[in-house]
Each structure stands twice: as structure tokens, then as C-alpha cells.
């Protein structure tokens, strides 16, 4: 997937993917950076958890699932106009929205598998080539009428004839389309609920919206300028998901950026815990340095150990266990290995003797972190691998921390 060499900005067509993929890439940028979606779409503080493309839902271009199970159904249309023509984009979108709304969740249905009024939303994503009657007047008409108590109040809330015309055209399209299927015909109350659920938003990925997505990604990049390549990598993958009719969660989107050769920080919600683990490790390593040497006749004597190079090599190949009699120098070797690996590999040093937690949850207190340590390690992304060194395993044998240490090792080995 040689993304870095051939994706450096420019038109979507030149890069080999289109408007729908770029809209999905924008949502992926929100997901990776853990930034909430604009509150007008689906409520405040909604964080993207997964993104699906070409779904089986009536509004099928993109399905964004957020924390708490809220769903944003997205239809991407580059240049819709305010037309009642049957072959027009607005009529096609309205038909999809009505069919989605008609299958909404009720008390007898599973709310996680259908559109839920008041929880989920529908977004018509339009390009800058869309008619002003749609990207400006219809958008504003829907926003102004969103809190109205009935259809009369919704229309009365509009500011000018352009907004009233856009509102009337969409209502006419929805009601005439619904009338074709009696079981889907909407009452005025249902029509109002549907209109409240619909949003229109314009996106210009050759300008401001691309820059905004790149800026959103900046919070998770180690190097300035990586956001441009990252956004193209996300759009490239979104295009593939369109072809495969597939979905990707946050972890998968982050992996795509790493495959593109870019270095990512830990997700924002994990960054504080990563720094706490680093601080803990540095403090532990400093304490273990006393095992590297001893004092003889007033002189500090340090023993050189030939096994360090071999252990470093073995650690790069997989998991290993270092055995030795008490006092043989295992802790000293661990320090030297950690120092030797530091140039190319981040190393976390954990001393079992310092732990008191009886399970993985209890280890959170030992390490002063908010998340479980295995989750932190799972989100510990960066330029290279991470090596975890655990000192003094025998200190946990038969003690209160034995279960926790065994679970930690099992989780790392996976």
C-alpha cells in the first residue's frame, strides 16, 4: 500500500477516490483524534467508534456509529439541486430517508439495528457544486425548524422566501414519495420528526474542509505535515471499503495510517496513561541500576555481561524468559538490555516487587493509570515496537499479586 509516495494532495479524482470516500475519511479523522462530531448533527460529545460504507440501510453511503450506540446515516451527493424531478438527487435522498424512517425502531424492535428517532440522525453531505438552494437555504430551513412543535411552527420559523421554498419542496417530495407506499405514509407529526432528523452540510475537500480534517489529525501525529498524507491514506482505504461494502473501527483506521508509514501518538484518551507508564518505568529502571555494580575496597565495580547482546537479539524475535539462581544478576542484565534497546525500541520496565494489585484492575492503582494496562499497551502506537520487561517474577509466586502478574503476561503474549 505505497501511499506516501503517490498521495500528496490535489484533486480527489487525481488521487483515485471521490467525494464519498473523502467524507468517510473526515469521519475517520474525528475517530482517530477522538474529537467529538459537530454537535448539530447528532448531539454533543459524540465520539466516532466505527464507520461502514455502502451499507444495507436505505441511507447507505456511510454509517457512522458513535459511543453510546448513536448512528449517523450519511448520503453523499456532490451537486444536488432543489428539483422534484424523479431522477434528481434530492428525490433519491428523500426516498432513502423515508424508507429509513419507516423502518425506525419501536418498542418491539432492537433499537441498535434500526433508525431511532431522537437518538440517530440523517446527514445529506453535499459538495461545493451543490445548488445554493440546497447547501444554504435547505440547510438553514431544516436548522431553523428543528425545535418547532408542529409543521405550522416549523414553517413560521423560517426567515425568507428562499428558505420557505426549500422547505416546501422537500416536504412535497417526502409526502409524495411516501404516498406511493401506503404503509410508509407519514402523518404531520411523523413528517416533523423526520425533518428534525435530517441535516445538510457542505464539504469542500479541495479547500477548507480538507485543511480542517488535517488539523483534526494533528493531535495524534508526531511530525508536522503528516496530516496531509494521513488524510489521503484514510480516503484511499475508505474507497476500498466502498468496494468491499465493509466497515472499520477506530483501531483499524489507526492501523491504516501506520501502514502508510506515519508515526502516531497514543489516542488522546490514553496519552496521559502512556506518560504515567513511562514515568513509572523510568523510576523503576533507576531503582534497578543498583544491581549493575557493587563496591569493593571503596571502588565501584561493574560486571560486563556477554549475554546482553544475545538477549537483545532474542527479544526482537519474540517472547523470552530469563532464568538464573538468586543473585546471579538477572536484574542487572534486564537493566543493560533495556538500555541497549532504548536507541531503537521503547522499553517498559515493571518490577513485580513493587506491585500490590491482586488482578489487572488492581494494577491500575500500582501504576497510577486510568485504563487497564493491557488496554494501554494495545493503544501504545508509535514509530516502533514496545518491549515489556518484568523483573523478579518469583516475588509473586504464591503471593497476592500472582494472579495479576500471570494475567499480565498472558495478555501480552496474547
Amino acid at each position: 500500500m505505497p501511499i506516501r509516495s503517490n498521495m500528496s494532495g490535489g484533486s480527489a479524482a487525481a488521487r483515485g477516490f471521490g467525494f464519498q470516500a473523502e467524507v468517510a475519511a473526515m469521519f475517520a479523522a474525528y475517530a482517530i483524534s477522538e474529537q467529538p462530531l459537530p454537535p448539530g448533527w447528532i448531539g454533543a460529545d459524540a465520539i466516532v467508534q466505527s464507520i461502514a460504507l455502502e451499507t444495507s440501510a436505505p441511507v447507505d453511503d456511510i454509517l457512522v456509529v458513535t459511543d453510546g450506540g448513536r448512528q449517523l446515516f450519511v448520503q453523499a451527493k456532490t451537486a444536488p439541486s432543489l428539483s422534484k424531478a424523479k431522477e434528481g438527487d434530492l428525490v433519491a435522498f428523500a426516498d432513502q430517508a423515508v424508507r429509513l424512517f419507516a423502518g425506525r425502531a419501536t418498542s418491539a424492535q432492537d433499537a441498535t439495528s434500526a433508525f431511532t428517532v431522537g437518538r440517530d440522525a440523517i446527514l445529506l453531505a453535499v459538495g461545493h457544486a451543490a445548488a445554493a438552494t440546497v447547501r444554504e437555504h435547505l440547510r438553514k430551513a431544516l436548522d431553523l425548524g428543528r425545535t418547532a412543535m408542529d409543521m405550522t411552527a416549523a414553517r413560521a420559523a423560517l426567515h425568507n422566501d428562499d428558505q420557505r421554498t426549500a422547505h416546501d419542496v422537500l416536504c412535497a417530495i417526502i409526502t409524495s414519495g411516501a404516498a406511493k407506499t401506503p404503509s410508509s405514509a407519514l402523518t404531520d407529526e411523523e413528517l416533523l420528526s423526520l425533518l428534525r432528523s435530517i441535516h445538510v452540510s457542505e464539504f469542500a475537500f479541495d479547500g477548507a474542509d480538507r485543511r480542517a480534517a488535517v488539523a483534526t489529525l494533528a493531535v495524534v501525529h508526531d511530525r508536522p505535515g503528516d496530516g496531509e498524507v494521513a488524510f489521503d491514506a484514510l480516503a484511499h482505504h475508505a474507497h476500498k471499503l466502498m468496494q468491499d461494502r465493509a466497515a472499520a473501527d477506530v483501531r483499524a483506521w489507526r492501523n491504516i495510517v501506520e501502514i502508510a508509514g506515519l508515526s502516531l501518538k497514543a489516542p488522546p484518551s490514553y496519552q496521559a496513561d502512556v506518560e504515567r507508564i513511562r514515568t513509572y518505568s523510568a523510576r523503576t529502571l533507576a531503582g534497578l541500576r543498583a544491581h549493575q555494580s557493587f563496591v569493593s575496597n571503596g571502588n565501584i565495580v561493574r560486571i560486563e555481561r556477554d549475554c546482553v547482546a544475545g538477549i537483545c537479539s532474542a527479544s526482537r524475535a519474540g517472547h523470552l524468559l530469563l532464568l538464573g539462581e538468586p543473585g546471579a544478576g538477572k536484574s542487572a542484565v534486564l537493566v543493560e538490555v533495556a538500555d541497549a534497546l532504548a536507541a531503537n525500541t521503547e522499553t517498559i520496565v515493571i518490577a513485580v516487587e513493587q506491585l500490590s494489585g491482586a488482578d489487572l484492575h488492581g494494577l491500575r492503582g500500582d501504576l497510577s493509570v486510568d485504563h487497564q494496562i493491557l488496554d494501554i499497551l494495545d493503544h501504545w502506537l508509535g514509530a516502533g515496537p514496545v518491549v515489556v520487561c518484568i523483573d523478579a517474577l518469583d516475588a509473586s509466586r504464591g503471593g497476592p499479586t500472582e494472579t495479576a502478574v500471570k494475567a499480565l503476561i498472558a495478555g501480552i503474549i496474547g
Side-chain angles (χ1 to χ4, degrees):
M1 192 171 174
I3 296 171
R4 178 179 286 278
S5 62
N6 62 7
M7 293 186 182
S8 56
S11 70
R15 294 191 302 274
F17 43 81
F19 181 65
Q20 180 182 345
E22 291 187 308
V23 173
M26 176 201 68
F27 285 113
Y30 278 113
I32 291 173
S33 63
E34 295 184 342
Q35 297 297 306
L37 294 174
W41 293 344
I42 198 168
D45 302 323
I47 304 296
V48 176
Q49 299 297 309
S50 68
I51 303 164
L53 287 100
E54 296 299 331
T55 73
S56 59
V59 178
D60 60 351
D61 280 355
I62 305 169
L63 173 59
V64 179
V65 180
T66 72
D67 53 347
R70 288 174 285 181
Q71 302 175 109
L72 182 63
F73 297 83
V74 184
Q75 205 67 25
K77 302 288 187 183
T78 55
S81 63
L82 196 71
S83 169
K84 297 180 183 178
K86 292 182 179 180
E87 65 276 8
D89 285 339
L90 191 60
V91 171
F93 166 72
D95 175 67
Q96 292 169 318
V98 169
R99 287 189 286 115
L100 179 68
F101 187 80
R104 61 193 179 277
T106 68
S107 57
Q109 292 175 307
D110 181 1
T112 63
S113 62
F115 181 84
T116 301
V117 177
R119 183 197 70 176
D120 301 334
I122 303 167
L123 176 66
L124 175 60
V126 303
H128 57 77
T133 50
V134 174
R135 58 183 168 83
E136 293 180 13
H137 306 319
L138 181 57
R139 174 188 61 79
K140 191 65 175 177
L142 290 169
D143 289 345
L144 289 171
R146 211 170 301 283
T147 59
M149 299 302 294
D150 54 44
M151 289 299 298
T152 301
R155 197 173 189 280
L158 307 185
H159 293 165
N160 54 51
D161 289 341
D162 288 331
Q163 294 170 8
R164 284 186 280 273
T165 297
H167 179 272
D168 292 346
V169 168
L170 180 59
C171 289
I173 291 173
I174 290 174
T175 54
S176 63
K180 296 177 183 177
T181 309
S183 61
S184 299
L186 303 180
T187 65
D188 283 351
E189 183 179 354
E190 290 171 329
L191 175 59
L192 181 63
S193 292
L194 175 56
L195 293 175
R196 285 173 176 166
S197 302
I198 296 175
H199 304 261
V200 175
S201 190
E202 175 189 357
F203 299 98
F205 292 110
D206 56 354
D209 290 293
R210 180 184 175 87
R211 291 192 296 271
V214 169
T216 298
L217 288 166
V219 69
V220 293
H221 283 299
D222 286 327
R223 298 184 298 262
D226 278 357
E228 288 281 349
V229 180
F231 182 78
D232 283 343
L234 295 173
H236 183 277
H237 187 61
H239 189 265
K240 184 178 185 302
L241 292 178
M242 289 166 56
Q243 296 172 326
D244 296 341
R245 294 180 172 271
D249 61 12
V250 179
R251 182 72 182 182
W253 289 110
R254 290 179 65 86
N255 286 343
I256 290 302
V257 175
E258 289 224 315
I259 290 171
L262 306 180
S263 177
L264 284 176
K265 299 177 184 177
S269 61
Y270 283 84
Q271 286 177 8
D273 278 350
V274 166
E275 292 307 316
R276 291 178 187 127
I277 295 290
R278 284 174 173 152
T279 299
Y280 166 88
S281 178
R283 186 169 60 246
T284 301
L285 190 59
L288 292 175
R289 291 193 188 283
H291 296 282
Q292 286 185 293
S293 59
F294 62 93
V295 178
S296 177
N297 296 325
N299 298 316
I300 297 176
V301 179
R302 180 169 177 172
I303 301 173
E304 297 296 332
R305 295 172 171 86
D306 296 336
C307 62
V308 171
I311 294 173
C312 288
S313 178
S315 71
R316 296 186 183 98
H319 307 291
L320 65 98
L321 179 66
L322 181 63
L323 302 175
E325 295 295 328
K330 299 184 295 297
S331 295
V333 169
L334 182 147
V335 173
E336 292 188 42
V337 168
D339 288 340
L341 292 174
N344 300 305
T345 304
E346 186 160 15
T347 305
I348 301 170
V349 179
I350 296 174
V352 171
E353 294 171 319
Q354 299 175 3
L355 304 178
S356 61
D359 53 23
L360 289 177
H361 182 79
L363 293 186
R364 290 169 55 182
D366 292 324
L367 303 174
S368 301
V369 293
D370 296 325
H371 299 88
Q372 190 186 106
I373 183 170
L374 292 176
D375 290 335
I376 299 170
L377 294 175
D378 191 45
H379 289 85
W380 197 302
L381 298 182
V386 176
V387 174
V388 179
C389 299
I390 303 176
D391 182 58
L393 283 177
D394 54 342
S396 69
R397 186 183 304 126
T401 62
E402 182 174 5
T403 299
V405 173
K406 285 182 176 178
L408 174 60
I409 294 173
I412 292 172
I413 293 175

